[in-house]
Amino acid sequence: MNLNHQKVYITVNPAETRKKALLFIEEKLFEEWDLQFGEPVTIMAGCRSVPVLVQPFASSQPTLKLSYDMNQILSLPIFSDPISVSYHADERSIKIGPFFASLMNQTPLQDGTFGEMEKFYQEMKTYCNQQGIPFYLVKLQSLQDGVVEGYLPGQSGWKALPLPIPDVFYNRIHSRKLEQSSSFKLFKTELEERSIPMFNGRFLSKHDVHELLILEDGLLPNLPETILFNEEETFLTFIEKHSVIYFKPASGSQGRNICRLTQVAGKWKIEQSGHLQNVHFADTDEKLFETLKKFSRKRSFILQKGISLFETDQRKVDFRILLHRNEQLEWKVTSMVARIGDPGTIVSNLAQGGLMKNGPDFLKEAFELQDASRIYQKLVRLAKNTAQALVENLDDSFGELGIDLALDTDTHPWIIEVNSKPSKKFQGNYETFRPSVKSIIDFMLALYPKTIHKRSC
């Protein structure tokens, strides 16, 4: 395939211009692409295309000059920065893009921003601009018209306007309910019909993750025994084996609605996360089952064997490891943080008052240098193996995962949780953008070449 890819300025002639089917190309670019005066080619953006005749013109920089009508058909916004364009000689076509988008379910706030996600989205846009890639935000909608309503940032916040259908979607929908809706399933079907990739296509259930990971023999020593809270008989058998148990929502997040169950003087002590005073007791195993049944309110919960976690100053510690897939589709660690819980709390989540420290720095403070290095490598290896095991056993594509690991008092690592929508709250002090932004866009670029000749829009 003969493909020439570079950044080009795109301008638009006024509406009254009569030469609607003429595409003007800066003369050096015209020559580089080996085009002939008046030659017919197709110009494409997203799922739309326009047949045009090409003509060179003089300019001080690589430029495409589109007619007003041509620009309207392609639904292109006004570009102030140069945009990535590729010429496909075999097909006699010029492709504008790629176009990348984040799928989300928010509406801009009154100030035109997206609240706590604003910084992340701005960083995505800035990094994409540097690559010559238009980036925008898209809500769930039909793709039948060949365009999307997307949000682009302006001086007074994000504004909605018609834009090309993106070449790759990154799913940041925050609603599990919406992801299970018929409209989301229809959207995924439309993407598949058009050969448009979307990664991190859904939330992961704690129970589903456990059921997939136990298929990997190498991970069994790192998986706490876990069952679905369901039948009383299974429940009674499980609690007979363990003196400390965690009761967690199968689809929960941020450490909410978690209970720690502990056997104390022949009774069960029930402590709820986020509520230091919210402690209950159950006299018998059967009463414990009934109490938890009421607490669950018919939602799906799991029971997980409690681990004697490594602590520092009576604070429980676990590690959130953020991983991304690179161009070779291998998992790489982007960051590791240690999450240190409040004294007396049963979880270490930041949303429940926990502290955050750089993971490698924390290990160096807590252990001898040689031990810190060994433990770090052990955690990294386990995180990568966990991520790889998941993608091998899931139909959905994933390019980013947040994996929570913990050390027990013997520094043996345990897999606590896998999150397909890691938090994007601004928690760094970097000058331009966080490493995860680069990794996400690089993965989108890795997916893009696989789609450009498959599109059936």
Side-chain angles (χ1 to χ4, degrees):
M1 176 180 61
N2 184 2
L3 183 144
N4 193 337
H5 175 93
Q6 60 197 107
K7 288 195 271 187
V8 172
Y9 285 92
I10 296 176
T11 61
V12 182
N13 280 324
E16 64 270 14
T17 305
R18 289 180 176 274
K19 299 173 180 177
K20 294 177 180 176
L22 274 183
L23 173 65
F24 293 89
I25 302 174
E26 181 267 323
E27 52 195 3
K28 286 183 183 173
L29 200 56
F30 194 88
E31 185 181 336
E32 190 178 323
W33 287 350
D34 196 23
L35 294 167
Q36 304 300 315
F37 186 98
E39 180 181 350
V41 302
T42 302
I43 185 164
M44 302 183 292
C47 282
R48 289 198 168 177
S49 60
V50 182
V52 295
L53 302 177
V54 295
Q55 188 171 317
F57 79 105
S59 177
S60 60
Q61 52 200 9
T63 305
L64 298 182
K65 195 184 288 184
L66 283 61
S67 73
Y68 177 82
D69 285 3
M70 197 187 302
N71 195 69
Q72 290 296 102
I73 293 168
L74 297 175
S75 283
L76 296 175
I78 296 168
F79 294 120
S80 55
D81 298 306
I83 297 301
S84 178
V85 171
S86 53
Y87 175 60
H88 305 256
D90 298 347
E91 300 167 7
R92 316 311 278 172
S93 65
I94 296 167
K95 173 83 168 80
I96 300 172
F99 297 88
F100 291 164
S102 184
L103 184 68
M104 48 94 197
N105 59 314
Q106 299 164 277
T107 301
L109 304 173
Q110 283 189 328
D111 62 0
T113 73
F114 282 94
E116 67 178 35
M117 289 294 288
E118 178 69 17
K119 178 79 174 136
F120 173 70
Y121 288 145
Q122 289 288 353
E123 288 174 37
M124 291 281 282
K125 176 192 171 289
T126 302
Y127 187 64
C128 278
N129 275 4
Q130 291 184 5
Q131 312 296 312
I133 299 167
F135 171 79
Y136 35 98
L137 308 177
V138 175
K139 294 178 84 168
L140 208 55
Q141 58 191 276
S142 171
L143 305 177
Q144 294 302 324
D145 293 336
V147 295
V148 294
E149 183 185 70
Y151 289 92
L152 273 177
Q155 289 188 339
S156 56
W158 297 76
K159 297 294 181 190
L161 66 162
L163 294 163
I165 292 179
D167 295 287
V168 184
F169 280 91
Y170 165 50
N171 179 17
R172 284 301 304 191
I173 284 180
H174 283 86
S175 164
R176 291 173 188 268
K177 187 178 178 182
L178 185 58
E179 278 193 354
Q180 290 161 3
S181 68
S182 56
S183 57
F184 185 77
K185 287 171 186 161
L186 180 62
F187 182 80
K188 286 186 79 171
T189 301
E190 288 190 64
L191 291 183
E192 287 163 12
E193 288 170 352
R194 290 165 171 77
S195 298
I196 299 171
M198 176 172 70
F199 64 100
N200 285 45
R202 64 184 174 96
F203 278 100
L204 297 173
S205 148
K206 292 180 180 67
H207 185 252
D208 291 347
V209 166
H210 182 80
E211 291 301 291
L212 289 171
L213 294 182
I214 58 173
L215 300 174
E216 300 291 328
D217 289 346
L219 295 178
L220 290 177
N222 308 100
L223 285 165
E225 188 179 353
T226 303
I227 64 164
L228 203 56
F229 178 68
N230 199 345
E231 301 297 327
E232 186 174 3
E233 190 177 336
T234 313
F235 169 80
L236 294 173
T237 304
F238 186 84
I239 66 171
E240 263 182 35
K241 293 190 280 183
H242 307 295
S243 56
V244 179
I245 297 162
Y246 278 83
F247 182 67
K248 303 178 179 181
S251 299
S253 61
Q254 299 187 326
R256 289 190 292 254
N257 298 314
I258 293 175
C259 294
R260 180 171 63 186
L261 317 175
T262 318
Q263 282 189 323
V264 180
K267 297 180 181 181
W268 282 100
K269 181 182 180 183
I270 307 163
E271 301 165 270
Q272 191 179 338
S273 62
H275 300 277
L276 290 175
Q277 279 73 47
N278 202 347
V279 177
H280 302 281
F281 289 89
D283 295 336
T284 65
D285 295 351
E286 289 75 18
K287 281 185 182 175
L288 176 64
F289 180 78
E290 289 304 319
T291 301
L292 296 179
K293 203 171 181 182
K294 285 177 189 172
F295 182 81
S296 69
R297 293 186 306 220
K298 298 187 177 177
R299 292 170 299 168
S300 181
F301 272 71
I302 61 164
L303 293 158
Q304 193 172 72
K305 170 194 169 185
I307 308 297
S308 297
L309 291 183
F310 174 81
E311 294 185 3
T312 179
D313 298 327
Q314 297 184 315
R315 295 166 175 259
K316 289 183 168 38
V317 180
D318 69 14
F319 299 87
R320 163 62 61 89
I321 301 180
L322 187 61
L323 300 103
H324 292 91
R325 289 170 97 185
N326 62 14
E327 289 182 17
Q328 290 75 42
L329 303 184
E330 298 167 338
W331 287 101
K332 300 293 180 188
V333 170
T334 306
S335 66
M336 179 197 289
V337 296
R339 302 186 304 181
I340 305 156
D342 262 0
T345 57
I346 65 169
V347 295
S348 58
N349 298 69
L350 304 181
Q352 301 293 333
L355 302 172
M356 182 178 76
K357 272 191 178 182
N358 174 281
D361 288 349
F362 171 82
L363 289 172
K364 287 173 192 170
E365 290 170 14
F367 299 97
E368 295 289 335
L369 193 59
Q370 194 173 354
D371 289 337
S373 176
R374 177 181 54 80
I375 293 167
Y376 174 79
Q377 294 300 332
K378 196 159 53 171
L379 290 169
V380 165
R381 191 163 52 248
L382 179 56
K384 286 182 180 178
N385 291 344
T386 302
Q388 190 57 33
L390 273 180
V391 294
E392 284 176 1
N393 290 294
L394 280 170
D395 294 334
D396 289 82
S397 170
F398 288 89
E400 174 183 53
L401 290 170
I403 299 184
D404 295 346
L405 303 179
L407 298 170
D408 63 20
T409 48
D410 296 321
T411 71
H412 178 75
W414 294 89
I415 302 163
I416 304 300
E417 192 173 330
V418 179
N419 190 340
S420 61
K421 306 283 180 77
S423 170
K424 295 300 173 188
K425 262 186 203 172
F426 181 68
Q427 293 165 335
N429 54 4
Y430 31 81
E431 291 177 9
T432 49
F433 24 69
R434 65 200 84 185
S436 66
V437 164
K438 292 183 180 181
S439 299
I440 292 163
I441 301 303
D442 290 348
F443 183 65
M444 292 175 109
L445 282 165
L447 294 179
Y448 171 64
K450 299 172 176 56
T451 74
I452 52 179
H453 295 292
K454 293 183 186 176
R455 299 290 288 272
S456 53
C457 298

